[in-house]
Amino acid sequence: GDYILVNKYTYGIRLPVLRTKVWPLNEPRRGDVMVFFPPHMNDTYFIKRVIGLPGDTVAYRDKRLYVNGEEVPEETLAVVPEGASRQQTGLETLGDARHLVRQDQSRPAHDFSVLVKPGHYFMMGDNRDNSSDSRVWGQVPEEDIVGRAFAIWMHWDSLLSIPSFSRVGLIE
């Protein structure tokens, strides 16, 4: 229900329909929140965090994230029992970005290791155990990038509800 503001020019100027970059500006950085078209759906916008850049090795072991063999720092903030599951919230530092991540401790860890292909990005959701991301549908090619998300401007649950501005703010 969040409506997001996206800077479509952060990573370069593209032809709208062809998605071809005609003027490069910046490259995505680890920790950026990016809007893109996932490889399995060419007409649906997704929003996830950039975890792996071209040439990076991304690994996930025992619910800990590693980039190029180095563990990504995460500070546990809370562990809350919710019914049969235990939800853990932590503060992760990825590049210059510090952001909240959530894990369901009752779900098994699905360990993996992957090398990010040239011209591709590895994307993950901050709700690590409840996110359809690059672990499911693969790496995002550069031409499928829409832009960098930078703010939430409105939240609207459904057509029959009243829009709310309670979540307005910058995305970290």
Side-chain angles (χ1 to χ4, degrees), residues 92-122:
E92 185 176 83
T93 304
L94 189 61
D96 294 334
R98 289 176 50 94
H99 57 277
L100 295 175
V101 292
R102 186 173 180 172
Q103 299 168 342
D104 184 343
Q105 297 300 314
S106 65
R107 288 189 179 181
H110 296 286
D111 297 350
F112 71 90
S113 181
V114 64
L115 176 65
V116 182
K117 300 183 280 191
H120 288 72
Y121 297 88
F122 193 88

PDB file of all heavy atoms in Angstrom, residues 92-122:
ATOM      1  N   GLU A  92      21.072  -3.752   9.980  1.00  0.00           N
ATOM      2  CA  GLU A  92      22.134  -4.224   9.091  1.00  0.00           C
ATOM      3  C   GLU A  92      22.854  -3.032   8.479  1.00  0.00           C
ATOM      4  O   GLU A  92      22.233  -2.031   8.148  1.00  0.00           O
ATOM      5  CB  GLU A  92      21.507  -5.095   7.999  1.00  0.00           C
ATOM      6  CG  GLU A  92      22.478  -5.758   7.083  1.00  0.00           C
ATOM      7  CD  GLU A  92      21.767  -6.678   6.103  1.00  0.00           C
ATOM      8  OE1 GLU A  92      21.267  -6.170   5.079  1.00  0.00           O
ATOM      9  OE2 GLU A  92      21.703  -7.881   6.378  1.00  0.00           O
ATOM     10  N   THR A  93      24.162  -3.150   8.323  1.00  0.00           N
ATOM     11  CA  THR A  93      24.963  -2.115   7.678  1.00  0.00           C
ATOM     12  C   THR A  93      25.498  -2.682   6.375  1.00  0.00           C
ATOM     13  O   THR A  93      26.328  -3.584   6.372  1.00  0.00           O
ATOM     14  CB  THR A  93      26.126  -1.668   8.579  1.00  0.00           C
ATOM     15  OG1 THR A  93      25.595  -1.224   9.829  1.00  0.00           O
ATOM     16  CG2 THR A  93      26.908  -0.546   7.928  1.00  0.00           C
ATOM     17  N   LEU A  94      25.008  -2.158   5.269  1.00  0.00           N
ATOM     18  CA  LEU A  94      25.374  -2.638   3.942  1.00  0.00           C
ATOM     19  C   LEU A  94      25.873  -1.449   3.136  1.00  0.00           C
ATOM     20  O   LEU A  94      25.085  -0.600   2.724  1.00  0.00           O
ATOM     21  CB  LEU A  94      24.162  -3.290   3.277  1.00  0.00           C
ATOM     22  CG  LEU A  94      24.376  -4.034   1.983  1.00  0.00           C
ATOM     23  CD1 LEU A  94      25.333  -5.207   2.167  1.00  0.00           C
ATOM     24  CD2 LEU A  94      23.058  -4.541   1.447  1.00  0.00           C
ATOM     25  N   GLY A  95      27.180  -1.364   2.943  1.00  0.00           N
ATOM     26  CA  GLY A  95      27.750  -0.174   2.312  1.00  0.00           C
ATOM     27  C   GLY A  95      27.538   1.002   3.246  1.00  0.00           C
ATOM     28  O   GLY A  95      27.833   0.933   4.440  1.00  0.00           O
ATOM     29  N   ASP A  96      26.984   2.092   2.716  1.00  0.00           N
ATOM     30  CA  ASP A  96      26.688   3.272   3.530  1.00  0.00           C
ATOM     31  C   ASP A  96      25.293   3.216   4.139  1.00  0.00           C
ATOM     32  O   ASP A  96      24.912   4.114   4.874  1.00  0.00           O
ATOM     33  CB  ASP A  96      26.798   4.539   2.679  1.00  0.00           C
ATOM     34  CG  ASP A  96      28.223   4.799   2.214  1.00  0.00           C
ATOM     35  OD1 ASP A  96      29.155   4.338   2.897  1.00  0.00           O
ATOM     36  OD2 ASP A  96      28.392   5.450   1.162  1.00  0.00           O
ATOM     37  N   ALA A  97      24.526   2.178   3.805  1.00  0.00           N
ATOM     38  CA  ALA A  97      23.133   2.092   4.255  1.00  0.00           C
ATOM     39  C   ALA A  97      23.020   1.283   5.546  1.00  0.00           C
ATOM     40  O   ALA A  97      23.572   0.198   5.656  1.00  0.00           O
ATOM     41  CB  ALA A  97      22.280   1.452   3.162  1.00  0.00           C
ATOM     42  N   ARG A  98      22.292   1.851   6.499  1.00  0.00           N
ATOM     43  CA  ARG A  98      21.919   1.120   7.715  1.00  0.00           C
ATOM     44  C   ARG A  98      20.404   0.995   7.672  1.00  0.00           C
ATOM     45  O   ARG A  98      19.702   2.003   7.538  1.00  0.00           O
ATOM     46  CB  ARG A  98      22.368   1.876   8.964  1.00  0.00           C
ATOM     47  CG  ARG A  98      23.877   1.846   9.146  1.00  0.00           C
ATOM     48  CD  ARG A  98      24.323   2.671  10.338  1.00  0.00           C
ATOM     49  NE  ARG A  98      23.618   2.400  11.571  1.00  0.00           N
ATOM     50  CZ  ARG A  98      24.023   1.544  12.522  1.00  0.00           C
ATOM     51  NH1 ARG A  98      25.143   0.884  12.367  1.00  0.00           N
ATOM     52  NH2 ARG A  98      23.331   1.373  13.618  1.00  0.00           N
ATOM     53  N   HIS A  99      19.919  -0.224   7.765  1.00  0.00           N
ATOM     54  CA  HIS A  99      18.494  -0.452   7.602  1.00  0.00           C
ATOM     55  C   HIS A  99      18.051  -1.640   8.444  1.00  0.00           C
ATOM     56  O   HIS A  99      18.860  -2.473   8.837  1.00  0.00           O
ATOM     57  CB  HIS A  99      18.164  -0.687   6.121  1.00  0.00           C
ATOM     58  CG  HIS A  99      18.934  -1.835   5.555  1.00  0.00           C
ATOM     59  ND1 HIS A  99      20.225  -1.706   5.098  1.00  0.00           N
ATOM     60  CD2 HIS A  99      18.617  -3.139   5.429  1.00  0.00           C
ATOM     61  CE1 HIS A  99      20.657  -2.886   4.696  1.00  0.00           C
ATOM     62  NE2 HIS A  99      19.708  -3.772   4.894  1.00  0.00           N
ATOM     63  N   LEU A 100      16.755  -1.699   8.708  1.00  0.00           N
ATOM     64  CA  LEU A 100      16.187  -2.795   9.475  1.00  0.00           C
ATOM     65  C   LEU A 100      16.003  -4.023   8.599  1.00  0.00           C
ATOM     66  O   LEU A 100      15.605  -3.899   7.429  1.00  0.00           O
ATOM     67  CB  LEU A 100      14.838  -2.385  10.065  1.00  0.00           C
ATOM     68  CG  LEU A 100      14.870  -1.264  11.107  1.00  0.00           C
ATOM     69  CD1 LEU A 100      13.449  -0.870  11.507  1.00  0.00           C
ATOM     70  CD2 LEU A 100      15.673  -1.676  12.329  1.00  0.00           C
ATOM     71  N   VAL A 101      16.287  -5.184   9.157  1.00  0.00           N
ATOM     72  CA  VAL A 101      15.986  -6.451   8.497  1.00  0.00           C
ATOM     73  C   VAL A 101      15.193  -7.297   9.483  1.00  0.00           C
ATOM     74  O   VAL A 101      15.311  -7.148  10.700  1.00  0.00           O
ATOM     75  CB  VAL A 101      17.258  -7.212   8.042  1.00  0.00           C
ATOM     76  CG1 VAL A 101      17.961  -6.478   6.926  1.00  0.00           C
ATOM     77  CG2 VAL A 101      18.189  -7.478   9.186  1.00  0.00           C
ATOM     78  N   ARG A 102      14.372  -8.171   8.923  1.00  0.00           N
ATOM     79  CA  ARG A 102      13.538  -9.034   9.753  1.00  0.00           C
ATOM     80  C   ARG A 102      13.725 -10.467   9.309  1.00  0.00           C
ATOM     81  O   ARG A 102      13.775 -10.753   8.112  1.00  0.00           O
ATOM     82  CB  ARG A 102      12.084  -8.611   9.614  1.00  0.00           C
ATOM     83  CG  ARG A 102      11.165  -9.348  10.529  1.00  0.00           C
ATOM     84  CD  ARG A 102       9.780  -8.777  10.460  1.00  0.00           C
ATOM     85  NE  ARG A 102       8.924  -9.505  11.349  1.00  0.00           N
ATOM     86  CZ  ARG A 102       7.704  -9.163  11.627  1.00  0.00           C
ATOM     87  NH1 ARG A 102       7.188  -8.076  11.094  1.00  0.00           N
ATOM     88  NH2 ARG A 102       6.979  -9.879  12.438  1.00  0.00           N
ATOM     89  N   GLN A 103      13.799 -11.365  10.287  1.00  0.00           N
ATOM     90  CA  GLN A 103      13.937 -12.787  10.012  1.00  0.00           C
ATOM     91  C   GLN A 103      12.966 -13.563  10.883  1.00  0.00           C
ATOM     92  O   GLN A 103      12.729 -13.195  12.034  1.00  0.00           O
ATOM     93  CB  GLN A 103      15.357 -13.271  10.298  1.00  0.00           C
ATOM     94  CG  GLN A 103      16.401 -12.600   9.463  1.00  0.00           C
ATOM     95  CD  GLN A 103      17.802 -12.894   9.960  1.00  0.00           C
ATOM     96  OE1 GLN A 103      18.008 -13.304  11.078  1.00  0.00           O
ATOM     97  NE2 GLN A 103      18.771 -12.654   9.103  1.00  0.00           N
ATOM     98  N   ASP A 104      12.433 -14.636  10.330  1.00  0.00           N
ATOM     99  CA  ASP A 104      11.563 -15.545  11.069  1.00  0.00           C
ATOM    100  C   ASP A 104      12.438 -16.693  11.554  1.00  0.00           C
ATOM    101  O   ASP A 104      12.839 -17.553  10.768  1.00  0.00           O
ATOM    102  CB  ASP A 104      10.437 -16.041  10.161  1.00  0.00           C
ATOM    103  CG  ASP A 104       9.432 -16.913  10.887  1.00  0.00           C
ATOM    104  OD1 ASP A 104       9.746 -17.410  11.991  1.00  0.00           O
ATOM    105  OD2 ASP A 104       8.336 -17.112  10.338  1.00  0.00           O
ATOM    106  N   GLN A 105      12.739 -16.710  12.838  1.00  0.00           N
ATOM    107  CA  GLN A 105      13.651 -17.705  13.391  1.00  0.00           C
ATOM    108  C   GLN A 105      13.069 -19.119  13.382  1.00  0.00           C
ATOM    109  O   GLN A 105      13.800 -20.084  13.542  1.00  0.00           O
ATOM    110  CB  GLN A 105      14.059 -17.310  14.815  1.00  0.00           C
ATOM    111  CG  GLN A 105      14.829 -16.007  14.875  1.00  0.00           C
ATOM    112  CD  GLN A 105      16.117 -16.068  14.056  1.00  0.00           C
ATOM    113  OE1 GLN A 105      16.870 -17.009  14.122  1.00  0.00           O
ATOM    114  NE2 GLN A 105      16.342 -15.029  13.260  1.00  0.00           N
ATOM    115  N   SER A 106      11.749 -19.243  13.185  1.00  0.00           N
ATOM    116  CA  SER A 106      11.141 -20.577  13.149  1.00  0.00           C
ATOM    117  C   SER A 106      11.289 -21.233  11.773  1.00  0.00           C
ATOM    118  O   SER A 106      11.079 -22.425  11.633  1.00  0.00           O
ATOM    119  CB  SER A 106       9.663 -20.503  13.534  1.00  0.00           C
ATOM    120  OG  SER A 106       8.945 -19.761  12.569  1.00  0.00           O
ATOM    121  N   ARG A 107      11.630 -20.460  10.754  1.00  0.00           N
ATOM    122  CA  ARG A 107      11.832 -21.016   9.409  1.00  0.00           C
ATOM    123  C   ARG A 107      13.277 -21.476   9.255  1.00  0.00           C
ATOM    124  O   ARG A 107      14.194 -20.826   9.761  1.00  0.00           O
ATOM    125  CB  ARG A 107      11.536 -19.976   8.334  1.00  0.00           C
ATOM    126  CG  ARG A 107      10.073 -19.665   8.193  1.00  0.00           C
ATOM    127  CD  ARG A 107       9.871 -18.807   6.969  1.00  0.00           C
ATOM    128  NE  ARG A 107       8.477 -18.507   6.773  1.00  0.00           N
ATOM    129  CZ  ARG A 107       8.026 -17.802   5.768  1.00  0.00           C
ATOM    130  NH1 ARG A 107       8.864 -17.313   4.870  1.00  0.00           N
ATOM    131  NH2 ARG A 107       6.743 -17.562   5.646  1.00  0.00           N
ATOM    132  N   PRO A 108      13.476 -22.569   8.522  1.00  0.00           N
ATOM    133  CA  PRO A 108      14.858 -23.031   8.323  1.00  0.00           C
ATOM    134  C   PRO A 108      15.643 -22.070   7.424  1.00  0.00           C
ATOM    135  O   PRO A 108      15.073 -21.394   6.571  1.00  0.00           O
ATOM    136  CB  PRO A 108      14.689 -24.387   7.639  1.00  0.00           C
ATOM    137  CG  PRO A 108      13.327 -24.340   7.014  1.00  0.00           C
ATOM    138  CD  PRO A 108      12.492 -23.422   7.866  1.00  0.00           C
ATOM    139  N   ALA A 109      16.939 -22.035   7.639  1.00  0.00           N
ATOM    140  CA  ALA A 109      17.818 -21.213   6.801  1.00  0.00           C
ATOM    141  C   ALA A 109      18.013 -21.918   5.464  1.00  0.00           C
ATOM    142  O   ALA A 109      18.211 -23.129   5.420  1.00  0.00           O
ATOM    143  CB  ALA A 109      19.163 -21.012   7.487  1.00  0.00           C
ATOM    144  N   HIS A 110      17.899 -21.178   4.382  1.00  0.00           N
ATOM    145  CA  HIS A 110      18.152 -21.714   3.041  1.00  0.00           C
ATOM    146  C   HIS A 110      19.468 -21.111   2.570  1.00  0.00           C
ATOM    147  O   HIS A 110      19.495 -20.042   1.972  1.00  0.00           O
ATOM    148  CB  HIS A 110      17.003 -21.386   2.087  1.00  0.00           C
ATOM    149  CG  HIS A 110      15.709 -22.035   2.484  1.00  0.00           C
ATOM    150  ND1 HIS A 110      15.483 -23.381   2.316  1.00  0.00           N
ATOM    151  CD2 HIS A 110      14.603 -21.535   3.066  1.00  0.00           C
ATOM    152  CE1 HIS A 110      14.287 -23.679   2.768  1.00  0.00           C
ATOM    153  NE2 HIS A 110      13.724 -22.574   3.231  1.00  0.00           N
ATOM    154  N   ASP A 111      20.549 -21.826   2.865  1.00  0.00           N
ATOM    155  CA  ASP A 111      21.885 -21.330   2.554  1.00  0.00           C
ATOM    156  C   ASP A 111      22.147 -21.366   1.049  1.00  0.00           C
ATOM    157  O   ASP A 111      21.637 -22.242   0.343  1.00  0.00           O
ATOM    158  CB  ASP A 111      22.938 -22.159   3.282  1.00  0.00           C
ATOM    159  CG  ASP A 111      22.815 -22.050   4.794  1.00  0.00           C
ATOM    160  OD1 ASP A 111      22.041 -21.202   5.274  1.00  0.00           O
ATOM    161  OD2 ASP A 111      23.498 -22.816   5.486  1.00  0.00           O
ATOM    162  N   PHE A 112      22.931 -20.411   0.576  1.00  0.00           N
ATOM    163  CA  PHE A 112      23.314 -20.377  -0.834  1.00  0.00           C
ATOM    164  C   PHE A 112      24.575 -19.542  -0.984  1.00  0.00           C
ATOM    165  O   PHE A 112      24.962 -18.804  -0.088  1.00  0.00           O
ATOM    166  CB  PHE A 112      22.193 -19.789  -1.713  1.00  0.00           C
ATOM    167  CG  PHE A 112      21.999 -18.305  -1.510  1.00  0.00           C
ATOM    168  CD1 PHE A 112      22.709 -17.390  -2.280  1.00  0.00           C
ATOM    169  CD2 PHE A 112      21.131 -17.826  -0.551  1.00  0.00           C
ATOM    170  CE1 PHE A 112      22.548 -16.028  -2.093  1.00  0.00           C
ATOM    171  CE2 PHE A 112      20.962 -16.468  -0.352  1.00  0.00           C
ATOM    172  CZ  PHE A 112      21.672 -15.573  -1.128  1.00  0.00           C
ATOM    173  N   SER A 113      25.196 -19.664  -2.138  1.00  0.00           N
ATOM    174  CA  SER A 113      26.306 -18.813  -2.538  1.00  0.00           C
ATOM    175  C   SER A 113      26.195 -18.622  -4.036  1.00  0.00           C
ATOM    176  O   SER A 113      25.940 -19.585  -4.772  1.00  0.00           O
ATOM    177  CB  SER A 113      27.647 -19.463  -2.177  1.00  0.00           C
ATOM    178  OG  SER A 113      28.699 -18.605  -2.558  1.00  0.00           O
ATOM    179  N   VAL A 114      26.372 -17.382  -4.510  1.00  0.00           N
ATOM    180  CA  VAL A 114      26.212 -17.088  -5.930  1.00  0.00           C
ATOM    181  C   VAL A 114      27.188 -15.997  -6.346  1.00  0.00           C
ATOM    182  O   VAL A 114      27.489 -15.090  -5.576  1.00  0.00           O
ATOM    183  CB  VAL A 114      24.754 -16.674  -6.247  1.00  0.00           C
ATOM    184  CG1 VAL A 114      24.376 -15.386  -5.554  1.00  0.00           C
ATOM    185  CG2 VAL A 114      24.513 -16.568  -7.731  1.00  0.00           C
ATOM    186  N   LEU A 115      27.695 -16.112  -7.568  1.00  0.00           N
ATOM    187  CA  LEU A 115      28.533 -15.089  -8.175  1.00  0.00           C
ATOM    188  C   LEU A 115      27.634 -14.213  -9.048  1.00  0.00           C
ATOM    189  O   LEU A 115      26.921 -14.732  -9.914  1.00  0.00           O
ATOM    190  CB  LEU A 115      29.643 -15.723  -9.020  1.00  0.00           C
ATOM    191  CG  LEU A 115      30.542 -14.763  -9.794  1.00  0.00           C
ATOM    192  CD1 LEU A 115      31.351 -13.886  -8.838  1.00  0.00           C
ATOM    193  CD2 LEU A 115      31.477 -15.542 -10.711  1.00  0.00           C
ATOM    194  N   VAL A 116      27.656 -12.909  -8.814  1.00  0.00           N
ATOM    195  CA  VAL A 116      26.806 -11.993  -9.593  1.00  0.00           C
ATOM    196  C   VAL A 116      27.431 -11.806 -10.972  1.00  0.00           C
ATOM    197  O   VAL A 116      28.602 -11.444 -11.098  1.00  0.00           O
ATOM    198  CB  VAL A 116      26.631 -10.647  -8.873  1.00  0.00           C
ATOM    199  CG1 VAL A 116      25.705  -9.725  -9.671  1.00  0.00           C
ATOM    200  CG2 VAL A 116      26.095 -10.850  -7.459  1.00  0.00           C
ATOM    201  N   LYS A 117      26.614 -12.062 -12.001  1.00  0.00           N
ATOM    202  CA  LYS A 117      27.085 -11.991 -13.383  1.00  0.00           C
ATOM    203  C   LYS A 117      27.373 -10.544 -13.798  1.00  0.00           C
ATOM    204  O   LYS A 117      26.769  -9.610 -13.255  1.00  0.00           O
ATOM    205  CB  LYS A 117      26.027 -12.573 -14.336  1.00  0.00           C
ATOM    206  CG  LYS A 117      25.688 -14.019 -14.075  1.00  0.00           C
ATOM    207  CD  LYS A 117      24.696 -14.546 -15.085  1.00  0.00           C
ATOM    208  CE  LYS A 117      23.290 -14.118 -14.708  1.00  0.00           C
ATOM    209  NZ  LYS A 117      22.238 -14.786 -15.471  1.00  0.00           N
ATOM    210  N   PRO A 118      28.251 -10.348 -14.778  1.00  0.00           N
ATOM    211  CA  PRO A 118      28.485  -8.988 -15.307  1.00  0.00           C
ATOM    212  C   PRO A 118      27.167  -8.385 -15.804  1.00  0.00           C
ATOM    213  O   PRO A 118      26.350  -9.071 -16.414  1.00  0.00           O
ATOM    214  CB  PRO A 118      29.449  -9.218 -16.469  1.00  0.00           C
ATOM    215  CG  PRO A 118      30.115 -10.521 -16.172  1.00  0.00           C
ATOM    216  CD  PRO A 118      29.089 -11.348 -15.444  1.00  0.00           C
ATOM    217  N   GLY A 119      26.966  -7.115 -15.515  1.00  0.00           N
ATOM    218  CA  GLY A 119      25.758  -6.420 -15.974  1.00  0.00           C
ATOM    219  C   GLY A 119      24.500  -6.798 -15.219  1.00  0.00           C
ATOM    220  O   GLY A 119      23.398  -6.500 -15.661  1.00  0.00           O
ATOM    221  N   HIS A 120      24.632  -7.466 -14.061  1.00  0.00           N
ATOM    222  CA  HIS A 120      23.482  -7.905 -13.270  1.00  0.00           C
ATOM    223  C   HIS A 120      23.644  -7.469 -11.814  1.00  0.00           C
ATOM    224  O   HIS A 120      24.740  -7.144 -11.365  1.00  0.00           O
ATOM    225  CB  HIS A 120      23.334  -9.427 -13.328  1.00  0.00           C
ATOM    226  CG  HIS A 120      22.854  -9.923 -14.644  1.00  0.00           C
ATOM    227  ND1 HIS A 120      23.641  -9.929 -15.771  1.00  0.00           N
ATOM    228  CD2 HIS A 120      21.662 -10.432 -15.014  1.00  0.00           C
ATOM    229  CE1 HIS A 120      22.951 -10.420 -16.783  1.00  0.00           C
ATOM    230  NE2 HIS A 120      21.742 -10.737 -16.344  1.00  0.00           N
ATOM    231  N   TYR A 121      22.523  -7.529 -11.070  1.00  0.00           N
ATOM    232  CA  TYR A 121      22.505  -7.160  -9.660  1.00  0.00           C
ATOM    233  C   TYR A 121      21.726  -8.205  -8.880  1.00  0.00           C
ATOM    234  O   TYR A 121      20.740  -8.749  -9.370  1.00  0.00           O
ATOM    235  CB  TYR A 121      21.884  -5.765  -9.479  1.00  0.00           C
ATOM    236  CG  TYR A 121      22.712  -4.716 -10.160  1.00  0.00           C
ATOM    237  CD1 TYR A 121      22.497  -4.396 -11.505  1.00  0.00           C
ATOM    238  CD2 TYR A 121      23.758  -4.102  -9.497  1.00  0.00           C
ATOM    239  CE1 TYR A 121      23.295  -3.481 -12.159  1.00  0.00           C
ATOM    240  CE2 TYR A 121      24.563  -3.177 -10.145  1.00  0.00           C
ATOM    241  CZ  TYR A 121      24.328  -2.880 -11.467  1.00  0.00           C
ATOM    242  OH  TYR A 121      25.128  -1.978 -12.107  1.00  0.00           O
ATOM    243  N   PHE A 122      22.192  -8.471  -7.647  1.00  0.00           N
ATOM    244  CA  PHE A 122      21.516  -9.422  -6.776  1.00  0.00           C
ATOM    245  C   PHE A 122      20.689  -8.627  -5.777  1.00  0.00           C
ATOM    246  O   PHE A 122      21.225  -7.798  -5.039  1.00  0.00           O
ATOM    247  CB  PHE A 122      22.531 -10.315  -6.046  1.00  0.00           C
ATOM    248  CG  PHE A 122      21.899 -11.499  -5.389  1.00  0.00           C
ATOM    249  CD1 PHE A 122      21.725 -12.680  -6.081  1.00  0.00           C
ATOM    250  CD2 PHE A 122      21.478 -11.437  -4.069  1.00  0.00           C
ATOM    251  CE1 PHE A 122      21.126 -13.783  -5.479  1.00  0.00           C
ATOM    252  CE2 PHE A 122      20.886 -12.521  -3.455  1.00  0.00           C
ATOM    253  CZ  PHE A 122      20.714 -13.703  -4.163  1.00  0.00           C
TER     254      PHE A 122
END
